[in-house]
Amino acid sequence: TEMSVPGGLTQQTVHYAIDDYKTVGVRITDTGRILGFSTDNADVLLDKQVPVPEGERVTSFTLVDEPTNRFAFGLSNGGVILGQIKFNLTFPGGQRTITPVIEWPFGDDARVIHDGPVDRLAVRDVDENMMIIAQSDFSDVLSIRTYRKRTSFISDEIQLNPVAKSQILTDFSSDFIMLASNMRDLVLVGREGMARYYSIANIQAPEMLQQIRVVRADETITAAKYLNGNTSMLFGTDKGRMVQLS
């Protein structure tokens, strides 16, 4: 089945999500536009914009957890905002209806964590803990923030309480930030194919453990992600190759 791209092609797509019945999808663009649509005919069911402070813009996007459709945007003012796609299932008149919804589980105000635009972003949200890492273009400074989640007994609102913060000087300007779910293993990857592996078990004293080339010298990395379980990484190259590294 072919259909027009919901919202048009003037903005780049950074993520697609689809409901379990494969009848409703959500498209997220690089400017922070979020579009819910019917997979039958591309009719737009939802059209929202990430709440960005006046005068600022979206500078990056990362998927926090694919199974639960949690994501994060980085902003030009050093802020980060966390969101989640949900597909609400109802049966009005006995007819199954799926409605795409966007929620901001920690509020719709961005948390400023970095001195400069957040051009690269990694977020891990595991159990009661969260870690956010941000970096600007042409910079070797990484900002790290850790939080502990707390649920209010009064409102059931989930609050993020700051735990620790640090900045790391890496002398390595990365293009991809890869943070493992254990929040201790950090891999910085450059498009030219070099990767640095750090232990950040103590974010105040990170330790570089290894530097390796992960693709051939004549290749450029175009995509990088952890596989399920976070025991291995997958890299895509401009030559059409996929490289897995454990």
Side-chain angles (χ1 to χ4, degrees), residues 2 11 54 64 79 90 114 134 140 142 166 177 183 201 215 244:
E2 293 185 358
Q11 302 169 10
E54 185 175 354
V64 178
T90 56
H114 185 61
D140 61 357
L142 273 75
S166 73
I177 301 175
M183 303 187 202
V215 299
Q244 186 172 344

Side-chain angles (χ1 to χ4, degrees), residues 136-222:
S136 297
D137 282 340
F138 313 112
S139 172
D140 61 357
V141 178
L142 273 75
S143 295
I144 303 179
R145 299 289 189 275
T146 60
Y147 300 88
R148 187 172 298 277
K149 290 183 286 185
R150 177 177 173 272
T151 302
S152 170
F153 292 105
I154 298 175
S155 64
D156 288 332
E157 180 184 56
I158 301 176
Q159 300 172 339
L160 281 182
N161 295 328
V163 175
K165 63 180 181 179
S166 73
Q167 284 193 327
I168 300 176
L169 293 174
T170 66
D171 74 356
F172 185 80
S173 182
S174 60
D175 296 294
F176 303 94
I177 301 175
M178 304 179 70
L179 176 63
S181 60
N182 61 16
M183 303 187 202
R184 297 190 303 269
D185 299 329
L186 172 66
V187 181
L188 305 180
V189 183
R191 291 191 185 276
E192 77 287 350
M194 297 303 297
R196 284 190 178 184
Y197 170 41
Y198 291 83
S199 170
I200 55 170
N202 178 357
I203 66 171
Q204 307 298 337
E207 181 182 4
M208 192 184 81
L209 303 178
Q210 189 179 20
Q211 177 169 303
I212 61 171
R213 172 170 288 280
V214 295
V215 299
R216 297 189 306 232
D218 64 338
E219 292 180 310
T220 298
I221 294 175
T222 56

Side-chain angles (χ1 to χ4, degrees), residues 3 16-18 21 23 57 65 87 101 162 174 182-184:
M3 63 183 71
Y16 277 111
I18 192 168
Y21 296 95
T23 60
R57 59 187 175 85
D65 184 63
F87 297 99
V101 176
S174 60
N182 61 16
M183 303 187 202
R184 297 190 303 269

Side-chain angles (χ1 to χ4, degrees), residues 33-246:
R33 191 178 180 191
I34 304 168
L35 297 129
F37 60 93
S38 166
T39 58
D40 288 332
N41 51 27
D43 282 352
V44 174
L45 309 174
L46 171 78
D47 192 347
K48 297 287 186 179
Q49 186 71 32
V50 60
V52 176
E54 185 175 354
E56 305 298 338
R57 59 187 175 85
V58 170
T59 49
S60 59
F61 170 88
T62 190
L63 193 59
V64 178
D65 184 63
E66 191 165 8
T68 58
N69 289 312
R70 286 177 290 166
F71 61 88
F73 286 107
L75 307 181
S76 56
N77 67 343
V80 173
I81 185 167
L82 299 133
Q84 184 173 16
I85 301 165
K86 290 188 175 181
F87 297 99
N88 289 347
L89 178 62
T90 56
F91 292 89
Q95 182 72 31
R96 185 180 69 205
T97 301
I98 298 173
T99 305
V101 176
I102 298 298
E103 295 184 355
W104 310 104
F106 306 105
D108 57 8
D109 290 330
R111 299 171 181 275
V112 176
I113 70 161
H114 185 61
D115 297 326
V118 179
D119 295 311
R120 277 169 298 287
L121 177 64
V123 181
R124 284 293 185 180
D125 181 359
V126 181
D127 298 328
E128 301 302 315
N129 301 300
M130 180 180 291
M131 178 178 284
I132 303 176
I133 301 180
Q135 186 180 30
S136 297
D137 282 340
F138 313 112
S139 172
D140 61 357
V141 178
L142 273 75
S143 295
I144 303 179
R145 299 289 189 275
T146 60
Y147 300 88
R148 187 172 298 277
K149 290 183 286 185
R150 177 177 173 272
T151 302
S152 170
F153 292 105
I154 298 175
S155 64
D156 288 332
E157 180 184 56
I158 301 176
Q159 300 172 339
L160 281 182
N161 295 328
V163 175
K165 63 180 181 179
S166 73
Q167 284 193 327
I168 300 176
L169 293 174
T170 66
D171 74 356
F172 185 80
S173 182
S174 60
D175 296 294
F176 303 94
I177 301 175
M178 304 179 70
L179 176 63
S181 60
N182 61 16
M183 303 187 202
R184 297 190 303 269
D185 299 329
L186 172 66
V187 181
L188 305 180
V189 183
R191 291 191 185 276
E192 77 287 350
M194 297 303 297
R196 284 190 178 184
Y197 170 41
Y198 291 83
S199 170
I200 55 170
N202 178 357
I203 66 171
Q204 307 298 337
E207 181 182 4
M208 192 184 81
L209 303 178
Q210 189 179 20
Q211 177 169 303
I212 61 171
R213 172 170 288 280
V214 295
V215 299
R216 297 189 306 232
D218 64 338
E219 292 180 310
T220 298
I221 294 175
T222 56
K225 67 175 294 183
Y226 269 106
L227 297 178
N228 288 341
N230 297 301
T231 57
S232 61
M233 294 167 283
L234 190 66
F235 302 96
T237 80
D238 62 339
K239 304 295 184 183
R241 281 205 320 137
M242 304 296 290
V243 178
Q244 186 172 344
L245 181 68
S246 298

